[in-house]
């Protein structure tokens, strides 16, 4: 019996061992010995002079041998706060071995091994991505000998104090419609909880000076965050007639996928960190080189807030605008802070003895906040078709509530919508509708019901109309 149990344990051990993805390029692209590798990575980081950046959302890093691109890669990883606690790291890289017409996510490995240890794979999330999109599959051959993701792991292992599980994705297509499907599937995970690592080298095999020209044009296109600009730059580079130029970026597909996820996000900002090519290495010549860029994408916080004095001023503007209108006068506010001159939207709601007496709002960023409040206060008092106009006799019995709206953010999935914290804005053609965040406090709807009512009752496009409409979220500062 003991012998049988022992054999079973051996079999289980072998099966578990088989799930560890072994290093494919240890000893060639980077050192195979743990002590030597740690020293090499440390040396790469020691040569990085750029500072830490707040709220790092994604990096684009090269995947060549460390003697060629190690410092360039480390310069992007060095910008990440080592104390940052991400839930997942999404690793996106190109396929150098197989063409699939789609992406392959590694559901077959429980961890990736490097000389510095094992990095766990979130196989449940990997499988979930496969279920969500027909553009994502699992093909073992796409991962077994592919180096582009593996070479990034020692940098993360060395730099991050707490390394989360990874989601390894090899993109084996350059078809833009397929990349859009992949981007739409991954977009809900593009948030402060996760880090995206995009693996790509740049120009392949032009002469040293030609590489600088080509890589400069490619860099400029990425800094626009527009996938169209990036694709056009790569096409333009091919038309320059540069000798031996095989590609502007071997990771065109994962870069394009990242740009598709970020190009409509006004709060995501790209930073170019470092450039070099293999010609600067003592191991590389200058006749045929490979270019290496590193980028960091950060999420910029708006920093928008209202002081107590700002709030008092806005309520004063609303009240005195209504009062002056009743008196046939025009109200001119006093000194205004810079925040009140910021262009953003707002709603003004009037209540009398706890009951709604008028509510009108304005989306958009076409006028300063204080002017929006002026116009909306007047509209709520005299132009809301549900109520007769406010009179002078009742003015002092009316409470004024102002909801200042933060900039709207386009979302691709309702997973990105936080019921109760965010408002929803629905647009389909000429039809629009919205619910403020505080509406969720007044009803007991689910998220889908919230969207259904807004779609049906506000936008007029039917209960399920939101499913094919543009969805935007925003927050409100209510006082």
């Amino acid at each position: 019996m003991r012998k049988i149990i022992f054999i079973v344990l051996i079999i289980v051990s072998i099966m578990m061992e088989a799930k560890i993805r072994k290093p494919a390029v240890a000893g060639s692209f980077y050192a195979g010995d743990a002590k030597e590798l740690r020293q090499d990575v440390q040396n790469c980081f020691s040569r990085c002079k750029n500072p830490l950046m707040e709220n790092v959302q994604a990096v684009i890093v090269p995947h060549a041998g460390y003697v060629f691109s190690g410092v360039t890669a480390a310069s992007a990883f060095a910008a990440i706060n080592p104390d940052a606690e991400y839930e997942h790291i999404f690793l996106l890289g190109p396929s150098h071995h197989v063409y699939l017409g789609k992406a392959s996510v590694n559901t077959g490995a429980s961890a990736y091994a490097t000389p510095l240890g094992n990095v766990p794979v979130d196989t449940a999330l990997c499988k979930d991505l496969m279920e969500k999109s027909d553009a994502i599959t699992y093909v073992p051959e796409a991962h077994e000998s592919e180096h582009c993701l593996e070479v990034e792991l020692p940098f993360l292992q060395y730099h991050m104090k707490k390394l989360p599980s990874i989601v390894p994705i090899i993109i084996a297509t350059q078809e833009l419609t397929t990349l859009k499907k992949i981007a739409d599937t991954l977009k809900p995970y593009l948030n402060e909880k996760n880090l995206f690592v995009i693996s790509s080298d740049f120009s392949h095999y032009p002469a040293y000076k030609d590489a600088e020209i080509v890589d400069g044009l490619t860099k400029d296109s990425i800094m626009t965050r527009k996938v169209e600009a990036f694709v056009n730059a790569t096409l333009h580079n091919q038309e320059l007639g540069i000798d031996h130029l095989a590609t502007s970026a071997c990771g065109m597909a994962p870069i394009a996928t990242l740009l598709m996820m970020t190009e409509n996000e006004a709060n995501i900002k790209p930073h170019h960190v470092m450039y070099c090519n293999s010609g600067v290495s003592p191991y590389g010549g200058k006749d045929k080189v490979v270019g290496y860029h590193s980028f960091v994408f950060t999420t910029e916080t708006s920093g928008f807030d209202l002081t107590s004095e700002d709030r008092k001023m806005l309520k004063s503007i609303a009240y005195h605008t209504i009062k002056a209108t009743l008196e046939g006068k025009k109200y001119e506010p006093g000194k205004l802070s810079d925040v009140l001159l910021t262009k953003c939207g707002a709603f003004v709601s009037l209540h009398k003895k706890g009951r709604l007496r008028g509510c009108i709002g304005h989306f958009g960023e076409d006028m300063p906040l204080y002017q929006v409040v002026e116009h909306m206060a007047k509209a709520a008092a005299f132009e809301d078709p549900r109520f007769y106009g406010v009179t002078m006799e009742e003015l002092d019995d009316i409470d004024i509530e102002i909801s200042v709206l933060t900039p709207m953010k386009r979302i691709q999935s309702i997973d990105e919508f936080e019921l109760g914290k965010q408002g929803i804005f629905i647009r389909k053609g000429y039809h629009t509708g919205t619910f403020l965040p505080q509406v969720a406090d007044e009803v007991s709807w689910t998220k889908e019901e919230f969207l259904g009512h807004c779609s049906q009752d506000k936008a007029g496009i039917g209960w399920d109309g939101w499913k094919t409409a543009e969805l935007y979220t925003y927050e409100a500062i209510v006082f």
Side-chain angles (χ1 to χ4, degrees), residues 204-207 210-211 214 237 240-246 287-289:
H204 280 53
Y205 318 130
D210 289 335
V214 170
N237 289 344
L240 293 177
I242 292 175
D243 290 341
H244 309 298
L245 178 63
D287 293 335
K288 293 182 179 181
V289 304

Side-chain angles (χ1 to χ4, degrees), residues 172-192:
T173 179
Q174 292 189 359
E175 174 59 47
L176 290 178
T177 55
T178 305
L179 297 181
K180 183 64 167 61
K181 289 182 179 181
I182 298 168
D184 289 345
T185 304
L186 297 177
K187 178 69 181 292
Y189 302 96
L190 188 75
N191 54 49
E192 69 280 356

Side-chain angles (χ1 to χ4, degrees), residues 368-405:
L369 174 57
Y370 83 93
Q371 286 186 0
V372 175
V373 170
E374 281 182 348
H375 295 320
M376 294 307 104
K378 187 174 179 180
F382 308 111
E383 299 171 17
D384 190 329
R386 298 170 294 177
F387 305 94
Y388 60 84
V390 170
T391 65
M392 183 65 79
E393 291 72 25
E394 64 181 325
L395 181 58
D396 287 342
D397 292 328
I398 287 178
D399 294 319
I400 298 172
E401 178 183 271
I402 299 173
S403 300
V404 176
L405 310 182

Side-chain angles (χ1 to χ4, degrees), residues 169-319:
I169 302 174
I170 296 297
I171 303 181
T173 179
Q174 292 189 359
E175 174 59 47
L176 290 178
T177 55
T178 305
L179 297 181
K180 183 64 167 61
K181 289 182 179 181
I182 298 168
D184 289 345
T185 304
L186 297 177
K187 178 69 181 292
Y189 302 96
L190 188 75
N191 54 49
E192 69 280 356
K193 297 178 182 178
N194 303 303
L195 173 69
F196 278 75
V197 175
I198 311 301
S199 182
S200 179
D201 295 338
F202 284 82
S203 65
H204 280 53
Y205 318 130
Y208 186 98
K209 291 297 183 183
D210 289 335
E212 292 183 322
I213 295 170
V214 170
D215 291 330
L217 294 172
T218 306
K219 178 207 75 172
D220 291 343
S221 70
I222 291 174
M223 292 298 289
T224 69
R225 287 192 302 112
K226 302 295 183 183
V227 69
E228 183 178 3
F230 173 62
V231 171
N232 287 341
T234 61
L235 294 174
H236 172 71
N237 289 344
Q238 291 297 328
E239 295 169 356
L240 293 177
I242 292 175
D243 290 341
H244 309 298
L245 178 63
T247 182
S248 294
C250 62
M252 289 174 61
I255 294 172
T257 302
L258 175 67
L259 296 179
M260 288 176 177
M261 289 191 285
T262 61
E263 64 182 347
N264 292 320
E265 299 300 319
N267 62 328
I268 294 183
K269 181 179 179 181
H271 310 263
H272 182 251
V273 181
M274 186 177 176
Y275 170 75
C276 76
N277 65 52
S278 59
V280 304
S281 169
Y283 301 95
K286 295 186 183 296
D287 293 335
K288 293 182 179 181
V289 304
V290 176
Y292 312 116
H293 280 296
S294 56
F295 299 82
V296 175
F297 286 63
T298 58
T299 301
E300 304 290 309
T301 55
S302 65
F304 184 87
D305 199 7
L306 298 167
T307 66
S308 59
E309 291 304 314
D310 290 330
R311 299 180 190 214
K312 288 178 183 178
M313 175 59 79
L314 288 176
K315 292 195 74 170
S316 176
I317 288 172
Y319 173 83

Side-chain angles (χ1 to χ4, degrees), residues 133-146:
S133 176
D134 60 4
I136 301 176
T137 186
Y138 169 55
V139 177
E141 292 78 15
H143 304 272
E144 289 170 356
S145 58
E146 180 57 61

